[in-house]
Amino acid sequence: MATNKDAFRDYLQLEKKYSSHTVTAYCNDIASFESFNTIHFDQENIEQVNYSQIRTWIVSLVDNDISNTSVNRKIASLKAFYKFLLKTKQIKLSPLLKHKALKTPKIVQIPFSEKEVEDALGHLQNPVGFEEIRNKLIVDLFYTTGMRRTELIHLKVVNVNLPSATIKVLGKRNKERILPVLPIIINQFSLYLKERSFMLSIVDDDYFFLTKKGLKLNDSFVYRLINSYFSAVSEKVKKSPHILRHTFATHLLNNGADLNSVKELLGHSSLASTQIYTHNSLAELKKVYGDAHPRNQK
């Protein structure tokens, strides 16, 4: 079993090119089921389990107040493992072949309004010093490029090309894409780089965005930064870098951008992923339609 698990981990890392966080999550889910199977069925080899055993695990997770969303994620990990075993001819049939995902509530991500973004950036007008200049650039970069939090954190100095007004980011599965930088924030890049050059100590020199101690940023730092600035201007429940990415896509669509272009900017592999952003655009379109159509004025 250890051999198959190790091979599966290598497959996720090297062939599927998943992030280390995703690989760890997949392997932890498989280890969790393996442990459950050993305790409840006295069977260590999960290559030979049947769906009834997996169903018992699912019921146990639900009984322990694990959300349907989390259960579905764990089952997705198992599905991927059994798909790998099929691919490598370790098994002939997946025990999850006929499994149907648990129903989950549809969560609507509510983007910031244009005014909320303007107000947040208003609090960052005329930044002074390294941290304020960096923070303003981060907020503006999220909103004007739609990049992911991990893409911003791992942005390298060498991948910022000011003469061509572009940046190269490394997205999911190590897919690179080039993003345009609006002229309005080019000067902010230069200003930040100037302040960065004055730092006395830089540990992570390759990375573009740094803390005041010269270290590369981390997930919680970036989340707190965005949450802090938008908490001052918005009462929305979620105020995160992902909502700012969602806002970027929604505002582009509201202003006439086509879905394919937004897909490329976001780095989605299929239109299906991008279409989740269209519901807000449709709402805006309905409002304009309702306000403008003569038949609605009577």
Side-chain angles (χ1 to χ4, degrees):
M1 184 59 212
T3 302
N4 278 331
K5 284 198 298 184
D6 291 342
F8 179 61
R9 176 182 285 273
D10 290 342
Y11 166 74
L12 294 178
Q13 289 176 328
L14 304 175
E15 189 169 330
K16 300 297 285 184
K17 298 189 183 300
Y18 287 164
S19 70
S20 58
H21 176 79
T22 300
V23 173
T24 299
Y26 272 53
C27 293
N28 286 346
D29 291 337
I30 292 163
S32 175
F33 175 62
E34 184 180 30
S35 175
F36 178 89
N37 204 54
T38 301
I39 294 169
H40 292 270
F41 297 103
D42 194 25
Q43 180 184 15
E44 294 183 4
N45 187 355
I46 63 171
E47 297 159 331
Q48 305 302 324
V49 302
N50 56 49
Y51 182 65
S52 176
Q53 290 167 272
I54 297 175
R55 179 68 183 171
T56 302
W57 184 49
I58 293 172
V59 171
S60 171
L61 292 171
V62 172
D63 286 346
N64 281 284
D65 295 325
I66 305 299
S67 72
N68 285 7
T69 300
S70 294
V71 172
N72 285 341
R73 194 211 73 224
K74 291 176 183 295
I75 296 303
S77 299
L78 271 191
K79 271 190 174 181
F81 179 65
Y82 288 120
K83 186 176 179 180
F84 168 74
L85 294 181
L86 279 170
K87 185 175 183 178
T88 55
K89 303 187 186 309
Q90 302 295 311
I91 60 174
K92 292 182 178 179
L93 195 67
S94 169
L96 284 161
L97 186 63
K98 296 183 179 180
H99 173 76
K100 292 183 178 179
L102 304 184
K103 290 184 178 179
T104 56
K106 189 174 182 180
I107 300 174
V108 177
Q109 302 279 8
I110 303 174
F112 299 118
S113 67
E114 291 187 28
K115 183 179 185 307
E116 285 173 329
V117 176
E118 288 174 7
D119 289 347
L121 288 169
H123 285 289
L124 288 160
Q125 284 290 81
N126 304 314
V128 177
F130 171 77
E131 290 185 279
E132 286 187 10
I133 290 169
R134 177 202 60 202
N135 294 354
K136 185 176 192 304
L137 180 55
I138 287 175
V139 175
D140 244 332
L141 201 55
F142 272 134
Y143 180 56
T144 59
T145 68
M147 65 197 309
R148 298 179 178 93
R149 171 168 40 176
T150 186
E151 292 169 348
L152 181 133
I153 289 171
H154 292 97
L155 181 64
K156 301 287 185 69
V157 174
V158 70
N159 290 331
V160 174
N161 190 328
L162 295 186
S164 69
T166 60
I167 57 175
K168 183 193 294 183
V169 298
L170 191 63
K172 288 185 175 181
R173 303 185 188 182
N174 291 329
K175 290 182 180 178
E176 291 183 341
R177 71 184 188 283
I178 305 295
L179 295 175
V181 176
L182 294 181
I184 195 170
I185 64 169
I186 284 291
N187 287 341
Q188 292 183 50
F189 273 89
S190 300
L191 191 59
Y192 169 75
L193 286 170
K194 182 179 178 181
E195 290 291 327
R196 189 182 184 280
S197 70
F198 294 150
M199 295 180 70
L200 297 177
S201 174
I202 295 181
V203 179
D204 297 317
D205 193 48
D206 289 344
Y207 293 93
F208 187 79
F209 286 110
L210 302 172
T211 67
K212 62 182 180 180
K213 293 182 179 180
L215 301 170
K216 90 169 178 176
L217 309 184
N218 58 52
D219 284 346
S220 59
F221 179 96
V222 178
Y223 174 84
R224 290 196 306 270
L225 188 153
I226 297 301
N227 186 270
S228 172
Y229 284 110
F230 280 89
S231 289
V233 300
S234 175
E235 295 183 355
K236 289 181 172 65
V237 175
K238 293 195 71 175
K239 297 176 278 286
S240 66
H242 182 71
I243 295 299
L244 203 45
R245 172 174 161 85
H246 184 67
T247 300
F248 161 82
T250 302
H251 289 183
L252 279 183
L253 291 166
N254 283 348
N255 285 281
D258 70 274
L259 202 58
N260 266 310
S261 296
V262 176
K263 166 185 169 291
E264 293 302 318
L265 288 167
L266 292 173
H268 286 160
S269 56
S270 71
L271 272 178
S273 300
T274 314
Q275 284 170 337
I276 63 170
Y277 299 106
T278 61
H279 71 275
N280 293 297
S281 302
L282 183 58
E284 181 71 15
L285 187 60
K286 284 181 177 178
K287 181 179 182 302
V288 172
Y289 172 70
D291 290 344
H293 199 284
R295 290 287 289 172
N296 203 42
Q297 310 305 316
K298 297 179 180 180

